[in-house]
Amino acid sequence: DRNRGFKNNLVVAATGTGKTWVSAFDFAQIKKEIENPKLLFVAHRKEILEQSRNVFREVIEDNTFGELWVGGESPKDWNHVFGSIQSINRNGLQSFTPNHFDVVIIDEFHHAGAKTYDQLLDYIKPKYLLGLTATPERMDGVNILKWFKNRISSEIRIWDAIENHLISPFHYYGIFDDTELTEISWRNGKYDASALTNLYTANHLWARRVISEVREKFGELSSLKALGFCVTIEHAQFMANQF
């Protein structure tokens, strides 16, 4: 797409298919076009930034590549920066000029509807912008494709990833319950987390229903290794105790 004049590109790829590797190989390609391009890689967690930097180091074949800008750590050379959106906004966008970075890569680009990301995207003027996400569709209807002239450059959804043996196939079970959510406030495309927590942690019957359904599908729970997604830490602690 860059050969056709598109400087901003969005890669949509299912979780586990290697979005970060795609971005690292893309940067390696750009290095052939631009001498020592300056890079800003943006994510929202330190762990993601460290993992991403390791991927880039492997692809670039340089164990010293990249500086972290997160959790009190600040760049010294400002050539290849892996920074959190929190640090960028806390320190102020004026920490660097709009065109300082040749390449800006933003992980989990579906967050771009948030004010902090909008401010960054309005400020920066890189030669190339690359967005990475598994879920470009936002619940609140915000259009993140506006940054890419309403187009997706490369796309592999979960069903394609399974078909191409990139991720493991799985079974999905939908379980109906009669939990009433109409009284829970809906803001910015999601339910109020504290209200949901109060609802679910007060409902032991619902928790027992979940455990019963898991046992029915998988048998003896003591031999099961599982990951549970919960509303908040309090909800997670409640469900762990129930299990």
Side-chain angles (χ1 to χ4, degrees):
D1 281 2
R2 292 205 185 103
N3 293 333
R4 295 189 290 137
F6 295 106
K7 302 298 184 182
N8 296 0
N9 293 281
L10 179 67
V11 171
V12 176
T15 301
T17 55
K19 293 186 294 295
T20 305
W21 287 92
V22 169
S23 67
F25 282 114
D26 186 49
F27 182 75
Q29 185 64 37
I30 292 173
K31 279 174 59 68
K32 298 176 181 178
E33 305 170 15
I34 303 174
E35 184 177 354
N36 192 29
K38 290 182 170 59
L39 166 71
L40 174 63
F41 187 104
V42 182
H44 65 286
R45 289 175 49 212
K46 182 177 181 179
E47 294 82 2
I48 295 174
L49 291 168
E50 290 175 333
Q51 293 167 8
S52 300
R53 184 176 65 169
N54 288 338
V55 169
F56 272 73
R57 285 179 171 181
E58 187 167 345
V59 171
I60 301 299
E61 298 182 348
D62 180 357
N63 288 331
T64 65
F65 183 86
E67 299 178 288
L68 291 178
W69 189 13
V70 60
E73 294 185 65
S74 297
K76 295 181 176 60
D77 297 329
W78 291 90
N79 287 326
H80 310 113
V81 178
F82 290 76
S84 71
I85 189 66
Q86 297 90 339
S87 294
I88 292 171
N89 284 281
R90 183 170 57 249
N91 289 274
L93 294 172
Q94 289 68 34
S95 300
F96 53 88
T97 58
N99 60 354
H100 175 80
F101 294 104
D102 300 297
V103 181
V104 175
I105 301 171
I106 298 183
D107 189 38
E108 306 292 355
F109 198 89
H110 52 270
H111 292 306
K115 182 179 179 181
T116 50
Y117 283 85
D118 263 353
Q119 290 173 338
L120 173 63
L121 288 164
D122 284 334
Y123 179 76
I124 56 173
K125 299 290 185 278
K127 290 184 175 68
Y128 300 118
L129 171 68
L130 180 64
L132 309 173
T133 183
T135 53
E137 300 83 12
R138 286 176 54 103
M139 294 289 287
D140 58 7
V142 172
N143 178 26
I144 66 169
L145 295 182
K146 65 180 181 179
W147 303 103
F148 307 100
K149 296 185 177 179
N150 292 308
R151 36 176 287 287
I152 295 173
S153 300
S154 179
E155 182 174 10
I156 181 166
R157 299 292 185 145
I158 191 166
W159 46 86
D160 301 313
I162 292 173
E163 185 175 336
N164 286 279
H165 306 291
L166 295 174
I167 60 176
S168 299
F170 59 88
H171 296 287
Y172 186 96
Y173 300 98
I175 301 168
F176 173 77
D177 66 53
D178 56 359
T179 305
E180 182 57 65
L181 300 179
T182 55
E183 299 300 320
I184 305 296
S185 298
W186 178 271
R187 299 191 188 92
N188 299 322
K190 60 184 178 180
Y191 285 111
D192 178 77
S194 60
L196 276 180
T197 299
N198 292 336
L199 174 65
Y200 284 120
T201 57
N203 192 342
H204 288 69
L205 181 62
W206 179 86
R208 288 196 294 271
R209 172 74 180 279
V210 171
I211 294 171
S212 174
E213 292 286 351
V214 173
R215 183 178 285 116
E216 180 181 329
K217 297 293 188 298
F218 300 103
E220 178 53 48
L221 296 185
S222 62
S223 62
L224 177 68
K225 293 183 179 180
L227 176 67
F229 292 90
C230 298
V231 181
T232 59
I233 293 174
E234 292 77 15
H235 183 213
Q237 291 170 336
F238 169 79
M239 290 304 296
N241 291 334
Q242 293 296 307
F243 269 84

